[in-house]
Amino acid sequence: MSDKTVLVVEDEPGIAELVRFSLTTVGYSVQIASNARTARIFLAKHLPHAMILDWMLPDESGIKLLRDLRADKRTKMLPILMLTARSQEQDKVSGLDAGADDYLTKPFSPTELQARLRALLRRGLPQFSNEILAVEDLVLDPIKHRLSYANQPIDLGPTEFKLLRTLMMHPGRVFSRQQLLDLIWGDAVLVEERTVDVHILRLRKSLHPYGIEEKIRTVRGVGYSFGNK
Ligand code: CA
């Protein structure tokens, strides 16, 4: 059970109720806002633990609200799951680039929603810390700048190291190429998105001798993530 508050911004009553039911069953406290304006009023007074945001709202687009929340210091780090009726890949990319942490396409099952929200609350947002990252036998030490698999050192270039570190910090999270560019190269540098693909390829090559290159997953049309599946 959880005592966390989730703000659900959704104008379709049926979906809002489904989300409310799915989340209250597992102990979340749910607040529903049926438009962006109500959501803004609620957020001015309360900061929920997470937010579920519909793409198409009656008064403004969910993307616009999302961008504004990300530009505001107070809500910059709020975990946000985007709900969308659209399944076009371009929309997923736009959602992620605008600052959504994850997205879920309608229709979805209560179980899937619960799992996504749980993962979102667990992993938080991309932040760099100096902790050693270990996933099974793969160990990355950011201070010593070392990577090993089953105690065998693996040589990586500096960019591949940063890429792997970013992906390993949030297993299962999908990063768009633009997000990876921003996180690794910084937004001041003009680098093409396919540069990310080149470095992912190099990273996979370095992991290949250990049979773990598939840990770097391609999410078709969207970007990359780390983990099994
Ligand atoms: Ca809607």
Side-chain angles (χ1 to χ4, degrees):
M1 295 298 266
S2 156
D3 55 357
K4 294 189 156 71
T5 304
V6 180
L7 174 64
V8 179
V9 190
E10 169 63 75
D11 59 308
E12 288 165 66
I15 305 226
E17 276 316 306
L18 173 68
V19 173
R20 187 205 291 279
F21 172 78
S22 311
L23 300 184
T24 49
T25 316
V26 284
Y28 293 100
S29 162
V30 174
Q31 284 291 325
I32 294 176
S34 57
N35 54 50
R37 190 177 157 268
T38 315
R40 287 178 194 274
I41 293 170
F42 177 86
L43 287 167
K45 291 192 199 137
H46 316 273
L47 192 60
H49 293 90
M51 180 166 139
I52 294 176
L53 175 64
D54 183 31
W55 183 290
M56 305 278 277
L57 294 169
D59 50 348
E60 59 181 278
S61 89
I63 287 284
K64 165 82 168 61
L65 177 58
L66 178 60
R67 286 215 174 91
D68 289 350
L69 294 178
R70 286 304 181 232
D72 184 336
K73 217 185 250 170
R74 213 173 134 259
T75 47
K76 203 181 162 80
M77 306 296 279
L78 175 65
I80 298 176
L81 175 77
M82 196 100 196
L83 277 188
T84 169
R86 313 169 176 214
S87 56
Q88 273 98 3
E89 286 167 347
Q90 189 47 49
D91 291 335
K92 294 174 185 172
V93 177
S94 310
L96 291 170
D97 283 346
D101 297 294
D102 200 358
Y103 55 82
L104 196 53
T105 309
K106 298 172 191 175
F108 51 85
S109 75
T111 322
E112 185 171 17
L113 176 65
Q114 290 159 0
R116 295 288 192 95
L117 188 63
R118 203 163 49 233
L120 199 63
L121 287 166
R122 201 173 46 224
R123 72 198 181 212
L125 288 164
Q127 287 172 340
F128 286 99
S129 79
N130 285 326
E131 63 177 313
I132 292 174
L133 301 169
V135 176
E136 293 156 23
D137 285 337
L138 189 65
V139 178
L140 183 145
D141 183 336
I143 296 174
K144 294 182 180 155
H145 216 274
R146 265 187 214 151
L147 179 73
S148 66
Y149 182 74
N151 296 320
Q152 303 168 76
I154 304 177
D155 266 338
L156 283 187
T159 305
E160 287 72 41
F161 190 87
K162 282 188 210 163
L163 255 179
L164 182 63
R165 181 183 177 192
T166 305
L167 295 171
M168 273 181 85
M169 282 181 80
H170 304 277
R173 179 186 167 125
V174 182
F175 290 91
S176 72
R177 288 173 179 81
Q178 188 58 50
Q179 283 177 319
L180 291 171
L181 283 179
D182 290 348
L183 288 165
I184 292 154
W185 282 265
D187 51 15
V189 188
L190 272 175
V191 187
E192 287 179 54
E193 290 198 355
R194 62 164 188 232
T195 306
V196 175
D197 302 334
V198 171
H199 288 279
I200 286 280
L201 192 70
R202 283 189 200 156
L203 175 57
R204 282 190 176 131
K205 257 188 198 157
S206 304
L207 299 179
H208 178 77
Y210 308 89
I212 50 170
E213 73 276 17
E214 281 168 13
K215 291 262 181 219
I216 312 296
R217 291 176 48 224
T218 300
V219 182
R220 211 166 65 83
V222 181
Y224 297 100
S225 83
F226 181 89
N228 302 315
K229 210 159 102 177

